[in-house]
């Protein structure tokens, strides 16, 4: 497997995980307090935020590693943005 493909796969996986975490956070935020209680709701929201922040830090760190380790191939290794 070439490096460009590996970078793309890692980036896609991290992005997908980010979307899943955001969806789960929204689900917890929309839960009825009467069903789970305020303390449980707060705990679940904070836990999801922690996971989301960690994932976003992983994305940032991965990009930094690519820029540092492969400065000459930086344009080829960065995944293309959809737009």
């Amino acid at each position: 497997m070439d490096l460009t493909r590996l970078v793309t796969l890692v980036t896609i996986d991290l992005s997908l995980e980010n979307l899943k975490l955001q969806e789960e956070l929204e689900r917890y935020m929309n839960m009825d307090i009467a069903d789970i209680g305020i303390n449980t709701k707060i705990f679940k929201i904070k836990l999801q935020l922690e996971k989301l922040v960690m994932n976003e830090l992983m994305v940032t760190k991965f990009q930094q590693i690519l820029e540092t380790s492969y400065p000459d191939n930086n344009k080829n290794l960065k995944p293309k943005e959809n737009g």
Side-chain angles (χ1 to χ4, degrees):
M1 178 180 292
D2 69 340
L3 184 60
T4 304
R5 183 169 166 83
L6 179 63
V7 167
T8 301
L9 290 173
V10 170
T11 304
I12 289 170
D13 189 63
L14 288 170
S15 298
L16 180 60
E17 183 66 21
N18 203 26
L19 290 172
K20 289 178 184 178
L21 291 168
Q22 288 176 12
E23 180 76 22
E24 193 70 7
L25 177 61
E26 288 177 20
R27 190 173 73 80
Y28 288 136
M29 291 175 67
N30 292 325
M31 284 180 141
D32 190 357
I33 292 174
D35 292 339
I36 62 170
I38 187 69
N39 290 333
T40 302
K41 183 172 181 167
I42 290 170
F43 175 78
K44 288 181 179 272
I45 289 171
K46 288 172 62 177
L47 185 62
Q48 280 308 114
L49 277 172
E50 182 180 333
K51 290 177 182 179
L52 185 58
V53 168
M54 180 60 73
N55 190 68
E56 289 177 354
L57 285 172
M58 289 170 60
V59 169
T60 301
K61 186 62 178 180
F62 188 62
Q63 290 172 346
Q64 289 172 350
I65 289 170
L66 291 176
E67 290 170 1
T68 303
S69 300
Y70 305 98
D72 295 336
N73 294 324
N74 199 23
K75 291 179 183 173
N76 295 335
L77 293 176
K78 275 191 171 180
K80 295 177 183 171
E81 292 184 23
N82 294 334

